[in-house]
Amino acid sequence: MLPESVYKKLTEPESVALVGVTSRTGLGSNSPLEVLLKQGYRGRVYPVNPKGGEILGQLVYTSLLDVPEIPDLAVICAPRDAVIELFSQCAAKGVKIVIITAQGFFDGDEKGRFMQHELSELAAKNDIRVLGPNTLGIINNYHNFCTSFMDFVNPVKPIGITCQTGTFYLGASQICTGAGIIVDSGNTTDISVTDVIGHLARDPRLKVINIHMESLRDGVRFIEAARDAVVLKPVIIYKTGVSPAGSLAASSHTGSLAGEDRVFDAAFKQCGLLRAVDTEEIGDLNKVFCTFSGINGNRIGIISISGGAGVWTVDACTRFGLEIATLSQSTLEQMGELFPDWAHCANPMDIWPASMSQGYQYCFRRALEAYMEDPGIDAVICMTGSFLALDGDFLDVTGIIRDVAGRYPEKPVTVTSWGCNYRHYEEEVEKDNTVVYYISVDRAARALAALYKYHHQIKNKKRGPVILPAHPGQSEAAGILAGKTGNLSQADALSLLESYGIATARWGQARDLAEATALAARIGYPVTMKILSEDIIHKSDVGGVRLNIRNARELEEAFTAMHTEIAKKQPGARLDGVIIQEHLTRGIELLVGSKKDPTFGPVLAFGAGGVFTEILNDVSLRVPPLSKKEIKTMIEETKISKILAGARGTAAVDMELLIDCLAGLSQLLLANPAISEIDLNPLLACADRVAALDARVILGNK
Amino acid sequence: MLPESVYKKLTEPESVALVGVTSRTGLGSNSPLEVLLKQGYRGRVYPVNPKGGEILGQLVYTSLLDVPEIPDLAVICAPRDAVIELFSQCAAKGVKIVIITAQGFFDGDEKGRFMQHELSELAAKNDIRVLGPNTLGIINNYHNFCTSFMDFVNPVKPIGITCQTGTFYLGASQICTGAGIIVDSGNTTDISVTDVIGHLARDPRLKVINIHMESLRDGVRFIEAARDAVVLKPVIIYKTGVSPAGSLAASSHTGSLAGEDRVFDAAFKQCGLLRAVDTEEIGDLNKVFCTFSGINGNRIGIISISGGAGVWTVDACTRFGLEIATLSQSTLEQMGELFPDWAHCANPMDIWPASMSQGYQYCFRRALEAYMEDPGIDAVICMTGSFLALDGDFLDVTGIIRDVAGRYPEKPVTVTSWGCNYRHYEEEVEKDNTVVYYISVDRAARALAALYKYHHQIKNKKRGPVILPAHPGQSEAAGILAGKTGNLSQADALSLLESYGIATARWGQARDLAEATALAARIGYPVTMKILSEDIIHKSDVGGVRLNIRNARELEEAFTAMHTEIAKKQPGARLDGVIIQEHLTRGIELLVGSKKDPTFGPVLAFGAGGVFTEILNDVSLRVPPLSKKEIKTMIEETKISKILAGARGTAAVDMELLIDCLAGLSQLLLANPAISEIDLNPLLACADRVAALDARVILGNK
């Protein structure tokens, strides 16, 4: 998190220098000075341009050094080739926070990347914090402060935003419905979402945070910052550069390489971020969070102008995991009176049959009032018609909804209407900011589901940093890893797992047949035998793996046959004996492993093993450190977990053992950054045992 | 399909009687007469009301019998208790087409259902076709004809619609963007989507068809009608009552029971319908189909106001299966000139760096012109900004887009804009009906993907009815089934499969150990032995199944042990000997089966077998009859198909054999409607063989 003083000077400076500001003004001039004055900024502004003179009545300084104070913030608004020179002026002047708007650095060519490095060095040497380059900078609507060179329309909304593109910044009025504070970090060479999000979360004026993310440098720090923020406020994230093609486009846009999207997705889930699938979802969720401060549960009441529309509202609720409320006796009695004998009175409530004799508006009011008083209903979706000519719309219930809903702020109400006048309805119904309009019931249901999720599954969940004591096996693990590079031998790999308490199938090494026979007797038949040799990489290909050996006679046969085949297929290979291992067949094959992600470091993977790993992609991911509770959730996300829980009458797997195994691996990874990849291939799990049969461990450079 | 004359009288009658019309007029009167007159209907209108007199200057007949001609169409607009009496009048008068608007029949109580049956009998006896009840009837915007009692706003659009709720009918201006012809079938007791869709498909004024479906009576007839229609026109379907709760709500709405949604989904896919996930998708797809008559491929050019927005457009294209076009040398050269040295010029094209010196509008025009001439681009998504104040919007490119796109009608162009003025942009850019606006690039990509799918994967695909010659095994199959009910014995079940050429593991029946031993020797070890007994339902539970018997000695042991265990666990069970079966272990376990659906009849299922069936739900469904090509597609829809194709180095399964097996089963089901359920459990498939190991066949009432 940025120091408070830096954040304050960045977002509500008392003085700002616009360094290299254009002297042009008026339509299309792209003058940030003009925008700032128009916005009504009340701090001190220092335009700097070598030509001097005046712009819009403001004295222009020919050099930043001439400015009569050290401004809180400098915005360098010149094209890239002038930036280093101007940045040096900032350093000389003693400015500590600089925004660079120009494009063409990491997002440009070789020269741009070179200049970027130069800037970073200058910044470090002079202790300057940088926002950008390739950014429009800051909007603080509470302070009439804005560093954009475009004079755009942006209504005040209690939303804090960080983004990596000007489109998001300028389009916030549409994408996000408006904004309170926006920080565009552009290429994000220094100040990033991670530095800012905690401040947005602590700003009492803001109700929700939006993140537009294209790339991320330090995933682990981001996770910490996000975990901290979601306890205070709902955080919606829109991650772009998701597809391989999009990721490529992103890398040429902000000059950074995006990691795998599914790792980002896992990390977002882990910290309780609400991920928006597209730009419309951001706006939809903002509306619901800005309007309602909570929701008591997920039981939805539906009031509809027709039976058909009630049906599709039920579908929408079910699609997003909401429940259809059961009406109380009192609601049924009150409303039942209004209906003709033949009609159903239930939830969803199609009020049309009642309206034919009682009038639509009267019935709507009665239904909404009954629903608001019904303790079994947590929120209401209204479906009405906006298909009549506006001047004779005797079905208009927007005022009724505003009136009734306004009296029950703890019970969210959304409205969807059908017919040409829907935009007018939207405006009317949202007038008092007590009700939210959605153009479809699916979007209403999605937003209410997010509201429920945040207040009941995210906000209250303990997400503090997971701090685990050092594992007692670490010195043993360190010993095994010492001096090693590349692939570990299988014996080392298995020992490494055991050092962190990860069970393996019983095994041992034998130098010759006699030792192997004795070892097999100790381990107990059936056993598996594998050749030990640094020269042989693919053991199976040369006959170096023999499964299901049932007795000493078979062991001898297998030992001889194995050595004969190897002698033929890879003559001259140095042989160091064999591994004898308990031959396990019981149990469910699982995939457990880890790979280093460029953004998040080691990422733990769990899922279905064997042939189904690749085909089904039934894998869940997490970024360590992990609590046991989080590991349990991770397991439960997979489809294979249903089998582990004992589907189809088979005994359930011992979940404690499995969780311990993943917890051990997670600690092993964190304590030993040399491990770049690890695979337990497979891990067998059954009712009373979890055991790794094989392990592949690859070490990278420390 | 309705006879041409009936469809014509229903949708553009020369004369219409409004039977039981209200004498009230004006705001809120719900008078269909008033609506009809206001719409400017030019046919002859006969209001009928026992009170007689005049309404809105029209002579009112006290009885339909007094009307001076037999009208083409009668609309009964009275409440339900008057309907039967008025319907009898229609019959007496000789009217052959009647619309019933009242609610409270199948959608109401017991009395309503009784009246509905009475109506149906009356209709059959008098050869009357009925639309409704519980319907608003017809809209024909080309004929100024409308039977609604609500005077709603509904712009003319070349869209043919059938629906089952008035909400869809009245809201068409929003849900569908407008309409040409609408048929609301309400409770759908007689005339249904199946009767109408072929007429809509053949109407040269219409460009696209929308179906809102809540329930369906005869699935097989619908499939035929839909197959016929999609060759002529794109058909978008919005099926509601999808969730169990929604299905329940639907059944109380139109009084019919909805089948399983995944069966509907399979049937829709099979006939080439475009299924909309929500109401917004209907409108989005209508726009694209009404504006563009084709698309040459799926290579998308992207022109964007910023790099960031380009990234998320690429994501959107990838999400919906579109490709990012590679720019031609000519485009690169033309555009490259406009860009500063450091900037990338590629697709997606972020024109901002070029705009800084050349002007945004100029660059946008140049880019769009180059894209329209580029033979490697099939469609263009434009992303622009609408964030400036309207009166000084020097970035407005809506006119430029209209101008350039209008010259290249064969290359679809969509526009998305960011910022507060997006609605103004939408209106501006769509002015000439040559360009389509979408509020997000995701929705643009989804619509273009549907356009591509229709023109390249649906329209040209041969979907004629699949007519297969009778299978030579039918007489044998009929013999096996003759006189049977309930569960078939395993021997009968296996024989039944074989009669239709479906391979099974080699098997035979034996009455005693001697026969069993001889049989096993013929079949070849290892074998499986199963008890034969009508009294024993769960063979495994009483030890009645013995697997992997490797020789005669083991067979004898197993035979004895089996009989001993059964004698203990189910003493007195009548035993009829044993089945000896080849013990197969090689191969991939598959699920193949069928169940009767209330709407579509027998539905064929194919997918992953064994423990993964329930967990992964990796199953694809089809409604027979099926061509071999369709069966191939069906198999390829599953994840397990990747394993069948030889993933992970294993030999590929013989696809011909597998397809033959499914084709045989499909024919067996069609020819023998007595089969209500069948399960090949499992079917084993490997490189050179496909064999059913077990089969469960349940017969229902014929």
Side-chain angles (χ1 to χ4, degrees):
Chain A
M1 193 148 81
L2 279 183
E4 181 65 33
S5 63
V6 175
Y7 176 75
K8 213 173 145 78
K9 284 182 180 178
L10 177 68
T11 56
E12 40 185 290
E14 289 182 13
S15 54
V16 58
L18 301 175
V19 189
V21 70
T22 179
S23 54
R24 291 186 305 150
T25 58
L27 203 61
S29 65
N30 294 343
S31 164
L33 177 61
E34 190 167 2
V35 175
L36 198 54
L37 296 175
K38 205 167 161 187
Q39 293 256 337
Y41 173 62
R42 288 176 302 267
R44 299 176 295 282
V45 187
Y46 302 108
V48 178
N49 184 314
K51 293 182 207 152
E54 263 192 12
I55 307 175
L56 298 166
Q58 302 281 316
L59 174 67
V60 177
Y61 297 83
T62 53
S63 163
L64 178 60
L65 299 173
D66 300 339
V67 165
E69 66 173 315
I70 301 173
D72 283 351
L73 174 69
V75 183
I76 300 180
C77 11
R80 72 159 187 174
D81 290 333
V83 168
I84 289 186
E85 159 67 20
L86 297 175
F87 195 85
S88 304
Q89 264 188 38
C90 293
K93 182 71 180 176
V95 179
K96 293 299 174 200
I97 312 171
V98 177
I99 297 176
I100 303 171
T101 59
Q103 299 188 298
F105 291 88
F106 274 160
D107 55 309
D109 56 359
E110 198 49 49
K111 188 180 163 199
R113 281 186 285 279
F114 180 80
M115 290 194 293
Q116 176 69 67
H117 285 298
E118 219 178 323
L119 278 176
S120 295
E121 272 172 35
L122 266 172
K125 209 163 69 186
N126 293 281
D127 208 14
I128 297 173
R129 301 303 302 256
V130 177
L131 187 69
N134 193 8
T135 174
L136 292 173
I138 299 293
I139 291 170
N140 185 340
N141 267 338
Y142 303 113
H143 219 70
N144 299 351
F145 180 65
C146 166
T147 63
S148 168
F149 56 80
M150 286 263 185
D151 182 31
F152 61 105
V153 180
N154 182 28
V156 188
K157 287 279 165 75
I159 303 166
I161 300 172
T162 76
C163 60
Q164 290 191 271
T165 172
T167 313
F168 208 92
Y169 180 108
L170 298 167
S173 58
Q174 174 184 347
I175 306 173
C176 314
T177 74
I181 294 174
I182 304 182
V183 180
D184 172 7
S185 63
N187 287 5
T188 320
T189 54
D190 175 15
I191 297 173
S192 73
V193 54
T194 307
D195 296 308
V196 170
I197 184 175
H199 293 286
L200 298 175
R202 283 169 181 79
D203 187 329
R205 296 164 301 188
L206 302 175
K207 293 190 177 171
V208 52
I209 297 172
N210 295 174
I211 301 172
H212 161 250
M213 178 182 286
E214 212 172 72
S215 60
L216 186 64
R217 233 182 4 250
D218 184 343
V220 174
R221 267 187 64 225
F222 171 75
I223 288 180
E224 275 171 33
R227 271 188 170 138
D228 162 69
V230 297
V231 177
L232 302 166
K233 236 155 251 176
V235 181
I236 301 160
I237 189 158
Y238 179 53
K239 167 79 175 68
T240 62
V242 164
S243 57
S247 164
L248 197 70
S251 105
S252 91
H253 172 228
T254 49
S256 56
L257 200 65
E260 261 188 284
D261 186 68
R262 55 183 198 151
V263 177
F264 277 98
D265 201 62
F268 297 161
K269 203 181 295 172
Q270 202 171 330
C271 27
L273 301 178
L274 296 163
R275 184 170 190 177
V277 68
D278 55 24
T279 46
E280 284 182 293
E281 190 172 2
I282 307 169
D284 285 356
L285 267 48
N286 279 342
K287 267 190 177 189
V288 87
F289 284 115
C290 288
T291 310
F292 308 112
S293 56
I295 183 170
N296 284 325
N298 69 349
R299 299 164 305 171
I300 307 300
I302 299 166
I303 302 175
S304 170
I305 190 171
S306 84
V311 172
W312 74 61
T313 309
V314 170
D315 281 346
C317 289
T318 311
R319 182 177 164 201
F320 293 102
L322 300 170
E323 284 180 18
I324 307 307
T326 304
L327 300 183
S328 71
Q329 204 48 43
S330 157
T331 303
L332 285 173
E333 279 164 17
Q334 283 175 60
M335 293 307 297
E337 286 173 12
L338 307 178
F339 278 81
D341 288 346
W342 58 261
H344 307 276
C345 174
N347 187 33
M349 190 172 285
D350 166 14
I351 61 165
W352 192 254
S355 308
M356 295 299 283
S357 58
Q358 312 285 325
Y360 184 71
Q361 292 174 323
Y362 175 74
C363 292
F364 208 104
R365 179 183 285 277
R366 287 284 302 271
L368 189 54
E369 281 172 342
Y371 272 36
M372 293 316 254
E373 288 290 339
D374 191 324
I377 294 178
D378 300 311
V380 180
I381 298 181
C382 300
M383 258 294 262
T384 185
S386 52
F387 38 75
L388 302 182
L390 269 185
D391 55 1
D393 187 357
F394 60 96
L395 303 181
D396 183 355
V397 288
T398 53
I400 291 168
I401 295 172
R402 271 207 323 270
D403 173 39
V404 180
R407 285 186 270 130
Y408 300 84
E410 75 292 349
K411 205 175 265 197
V413 175
T414 73
V415 179
T416 298
S417 74
W418 292 116
C420 56
N421 296 316
Y422 60 97
R423 285 176 181 170
H424 174 75
Y425 269 52
E426 175 171 13
E427 225 170 84
E428 279 301 307
V429 91
E430 290 189 345
K431 253 181 188 164
D432 304 335
N433 291 318
T434 52
V435 175
V436 173
Y437 183 95
Y438 290 107
I439 201 168
S440 78
V441 287
D442 289 79
R443 285 170 68 177
R446 182 173 67 175
L448 289 174
L451 187 67
Y452 174 75
K453 186 177 175 185
Y454 177 70
H455 287 284
H456 295 268
Q457 289 163 10
I458 293 177
K459 196 176 66 179
N460 304 321
K461 198 172 158 186
K462 217 179 144 246
R463 288 180 194 276
V466 181
I467 299 162
L468 301 169
H471 195 281
Q474 174 56 20
S475 65
E476 193 187 333
I480 295 166
L481 294 172
K484 306 271 167 55
T485 54
N487 276 33
L488 278 193
S489 74
Q490 206 193 343
D492 281 345
L494 290 172
S495 301
L496 184 69
L497 294 181
E498 286 163 0
S499 71
Y500 266 74
I502 300 159
T504 57
R506 287 192 298 278
W507 67 284
Q509 286 177 258
R511 274 168 299 182
D512 53 31
L513 179 60
E515 277 189 24
T517 311
L519 184 56
R522 258 202 325 279
I523 287 172
Y525 289 100
V527 297
T528 292
M529 179 166 57
K530 298 176 192 166
I531 195 72
L532 259 178
S533 164
E534 286 189 22
D535 293 345
I536 297 173
I537 295 172
H538 299 293
K539 298 187 200 83
S540 297
D541 294 355
V542 297
V545 179
R546 306 277 156 158
L547 305 171
N548 200 14
I549 299 169
R550 290 184 289 183
N551 50 47
R553 187 176 45 80
E554 287 189 7
L555 182 71
E556 188 178 343
E557 284 168 15
F559 191 91
T560 312
M562 178 195 272
H563 282 80
T564 311
E565 190 173 346
I566 291 172
K568 220 168 84 185
K569 291 192 170 155
Q570 195 167 339
R574 283 164 304 173
L575 306 181
D576 309 311
V578 295
I579 283 186
I580 299 292
Q581 193 175 31
E582 190 186 4
H583 178 71
L584 289 177
T585 51
R586 281 185 317 143
I588 297 157
E589 272 191 60
L590 298 172
L591 160 105
V592 171
S594 171
K595 219 175 169 172
K596 261 195 189 162
D597 179 86
T599 308
F600 293 98
V603 176
L604 197 64
F606 171 83
V611 67
F612 289 100
T613 301
E614 292 163 41
I615 303 302
L616 302 175
N617 206 7
D618 179 30
V619 173
S620 82
L621 304 174
R622 283 294 185 283
V623 181
L626 297 168
S627 66
K628 291 202 175 178
K629 210 169 154 192
E630 187 70 38
I631 291 173
K632 187 157 177 280
T633 311
M634 177 188 187
I635 294 171
E636 286 166 352
E637 271 172 23
T638 60
K639 290 177 183 166
I640 193 90
S641 69
K642 290 185 221 157
I643 297 185
L644 298 175
R648 286 176 66 101
T650 59
V653 158
D654 187 323
M655 203 48 76
E656 283 304 307
L657 285 179
L658 185 57
I659 290 171
D660 283 348
C661 163
L662 288 168
L665 187 61
S666 159
Q667 274 200 278
L668 172 66
L669 291 164
L670 281 181
N672 300 282
I675 300 170
S676 73
E677 214 174 315
I678 195 164
D679 259 315
L680 278 52
N681 190 11
L683 184 79
L684 272 190
C686 56
D688 55 354
R689 207 170 158 194
V690 169
L693 296 199
D694 207 339
R696 197 170 56 98
V697 177
I698 304 176
L699 305 180
N701 295 325
K702 281 203 191 188
Chain B
M1 194 149 79
L2 279 182
E4 181 64 34
S5 62
V6 175
Y7 176 76
K8 213 171 145 75
K9 284 183 179 177
L10 176 69
T11 56
E12 43 184 289
E14 289 181 16
S15 54
V16 57
L18 301 175
V19 189
V21 69
T22 177
S23 53
R24 291 186 305 151
T25 58
L27 202 62
S29 66
N30 293 343
S31 164
L33 177 62
E34 191 168 3
V35 175
L36 199 54
L37 296 175
K38 205 166 161 189
Q39 292 256 338
Y41 172 63
R42 288 177 302 267
R44 299 175 296 281
V45 186
Y46 302 108
V48 178
N49 184 313
K51 294 181 208 152
E54 263 191 14
I55 308 174
L56 298 167
Q58 301 280 315
L59 174 68
V60 175
Y61 296 83
T62 51
S63 160
L64 179 59
L65 300 172
D66 301 336
V67 166
E69 66 173 314
I70 301 173
D72 282 352
L73 175 69
V75 183
I76 299 179
C77 12
R80 73 161 188 172
D81 290 332
V83 169
I84 288 184
E85 159 68 20
L86 297 175
F87 194 86
S88 303
Q89 263 185 38
C90 291
K93 183 72 180 178
V95 179
K96 293 299 174 200
I97 311 171
V98 176
I99 297 177
I100 303 171
T101 59
Q103 298 188 301
F105 292 88
F106 275 159
D107 56 307
D109 55 0
E110 197 50 48
K111 186 178 165 202
R113 280 187 286 278
F114 181 79
M115 288 195 293
Q116 176 71 66
H117 284 299
E118 215 176 329
L119 279 176
S120 295
E121 271 172 36
L122 266 174
K125 209 162 69 188
N126 293 281
D127 207 14
I128 297 173
R129 300 303 303 256
V130 176
L131 188 69
N134 193 9
T135 174
L136 291 173
I138 299 294
I139 291 171
N140 185 341
N141 268 337
Y142 302 112
H143 218 72
N144 299 348
F145 180 65
C146 166
T147 63
S148 168
F149 57 79
M150 286 264 185
D151 183 30
F152 62 106
V153 180
N154 181 31
V156 188
K157 287 280 165 73
I159 303 166
I161 298 172
T162 76
C163 59
Q164 289 191 272
T165 171
T167 313
F168 207 91
Y169 180 107
L170 298 168
S173 60
Q174 174 183 348
I175 307 173
C176 313
T177 75
I181 293 174
I182 303 182
V183 179
D184 172 6
S185 63
N187 286 6
T188 319
T189 52
D190 174 16
I191 296 172
S192 75
V193 54
T194 307
D195 297 308
V196 170
I197 185 176
H199 292 286
L200 299 175
R202 284 169 180 78
D203 188 329
R205 298 164 301 190
L206 303 174
K207 291 189 177 171
V208 52
I209 297 171
N210 294 174
I211 301 171
H212 160 252
M213 179 183 285
E214 210 171 73
S215 61
L216 185 63
R217 235 186 357 254
D218 183 344
V220 174
R221 264 186 68 226
F222 172 74
I223 289 179
E224 273 172 35
R227 272 187 169 138
D228 162 70
V230 298
V231 177
L232 302 166
K233 236 155 250 176
V235 181
I236 301 160
I237 189 157
Y238 179 53
K239 167 77 175 70
T240 61
V242 164
S243 57
S247 162
L248 198 70
S251 102
S252 92
H253 172 228
T254 49
S256 56
L257 199 66
E260 260 188 282
D261 186 67
R262 56 183 197 149
V263 177
F264 277 98
D265 201 61
F268 297 161
K269 203 180 295 170
Q270 203 171 329
C271 27
L273 300 178
L274 296 163
R275 183 168 188 179
V277 68
D278 55 24
T279 47
E280 283 183 294
E281 190 172 2
I282 309 169
D284 286 356
L285 267 47
N286 279 342
K287 267 191 178 188
V288 87
F289 284 115
C290 287
T291 311
F292 308 113
S293 56
I295 183 170
N296 284 323
N298 68 350
R299 300 163 305 173
I300 307 298
I302 299 166
I303 301 175
S304 170
I305 191 170
S306 85
V311 172
W312 74 58
T313 309
V314 170
D315 282 345
C317 288
T318 311
R319 180 176 166 202
F320 293 103
L322 299 171
E323 286 181 17
I324 309 304
T326 305
L327 301 183
S328 71
Q329 205 47 43
S330 158
T331 302
L332 286 172
E333 278 163 18
Q334 283 174 61
M335 293 307 297
E337 284 173 15
L338 307 178
F339 278 83
D341 288 347
W342 58 261
H344 307 275
C345 173
N347 187 33
M349 189 171 286
D350 165 15
I351 61 165
W352 192 255
S355 309
M356 293 301 283
S357 58
Q358 312 285 324
Y360 184 72
Q361 292 174 322
Y362 175 73
C363 292
F364 209 105
R365 180 184 285 276
R366 288 284 303 273
L368 189 54
E369 280 172 345
Y371 272 36
M372 294 316 254
E373 288 289 339
D374 192 323
I377 294 177
D378 300 312
V380 180
I381 297 181
C382 299
M383 258 292 262
T384 187
S386 52
F387 38 76
L388 302 181
L390 269 186
D391 55 0
D393 187 358
F394 60 96
L395 302 181
D396 182 357
V397 288
T398 52
I400 292 167
I401 295 172
R402 270 207 324 270
D403 174 37
V404 179
R407 285 185 271 129
Y408 300 83
E410 74 291 352
K411 203 176 269 195
V413 174
T414 74
V415 179
T416 298
S417 75
W418 293 116
C420 57
N421 295 316
Y422 60 97
R423 284 174 181 170
H424 175 75
Y425 268 52
E426 175 171 12
E427 223 171 84
E428 279 301 307
V429 91
E430 291 189 343
K431 251 180 191 167
D432 304 334
N433 290 318
T434 54
V435 176
V436 173
Y437 183 95
Y438 290 107
I439 201 168
S440 79
V441 287
D442 289 79
R443 285 170 67 178
R446 182 173 67 175
L448 289 175
L451 188 67
Y452 174 74
K453 186 176 177 190
Y454 177 69
H455 287 285
H456 294 269
Q457 289 163 9
I458 292 178
K459 196 176 64 177
N460 305 318
K461 197 172 159 188
K462 217 180 144 245
R463 287 179 196 276
V466 181
I467 298 160
L468 301 168
H471 194 282
Q474 174 56 22
S475 66
E476 194 187 332
I480 295 167
L481 294 172
K484 306 271 166 51
T485 54
N487 275 33
L488 278 194
S489 73
Q490 205 193 342
D492 281 345
L494 290 172
S495 301
L496 183 68
L497 295 181
E498 286 164 359
S499 71
Y500 265 73
I502 300 160
T504 57
R506 285 191 302 277
W507 67 283
Q509 285 178 257
R511 274 167 301 182
D512 52 31
L513 178 61
E515 274 189 23
T517 312
L519 185 56
R522 257 202 325 280
I523 287 171
Y525 289 100
V527 297
T528 292
M529 178 165 59
K530 297 175 191 166
I531 196 71
L532 258 177
S533 164
E534 285 187 26
D535 293 343
I536 298 173
I537 293 171
H538 299 292
K539 296 188 201 83
S540 299
D541 294 356
V542 296
V545 179
R546 307 278 156 159
L547 304 171
N548 199 15
I549 299 168
R550 291 184 289 182
N551 50 47
R553 187 176 44 82
E554 288 189 7
L555 183 71
E556 189 179 340
E557 283 168 19
F559 192 92
T560 312
M562 179 194 271
H563 282 81
T564 309
E565 190 173 345
I566 291 173
K568 219 168 86 186
K569 291 192 170 159
Q570 193 167 340
R574 282 164 305 172
L575 306 182
D576 308 311
V578 293
I579 283 185
I580 299 292
Q581 192 174 31
E582 190 186 4
H583 179 70
L584 288 178
T585 51
R586 283 186 315 144
I588 297 156
E589 272 191 60
L590 298 171
L591 160 105
V592 172
S594 171
K595 217 173 170 174
K596 261 195 190 161
D597 178 86
T599 308
F600 293 97
V603 176
L604 197 65
F606 171 83
V611 68
F612 288 99
T613 300
E614 290 163 42
I615 303 300
L616 303 174
N617 206 8
D618 179 29
V619 173
S620 81
L621 303 174
R622 284 293 186 285
V623 181
L626 298 167
S627 67
K628 292 201 173 177
K629 213 171 149 187
E630 188 71 37
I631 291 174
K632 188 158 176 280
T633 311
M634 177 188 188
I635 294 170
E636 285 165 356
E637 271 172 21
T638 60
K639 291 177 182 166
I640 194 88
S641 69
K642 291 185 222 157
I643 298 186
L644 298 176
R648 289 175 65 102
T650 59
V653 158
D654 187 324
M655 204 45 80
E656 282 304 305
L657 285 179
L658 185 56
I659 290 172
D660 283 349
C661 163
L662 289 169
L665 187 61
S666 158
Q667 274 200 280
L668 173 65
L669 291 165
L670 281 181
N672 299 282
I675 301 170
S676 74
E677 214 172 318
I678 194 163
D679 258 314
L680 278 54
N681 190 13
L683 184 77
L684 272 192
C686 58
D688 55 355
R689 209 171 155 193
V690 169
L693 295 200
D694 208 339
R696 199 169 56 94
V697 177
I698 304 176
L699 305 181
N701 297 326
K702 285 205 192 194

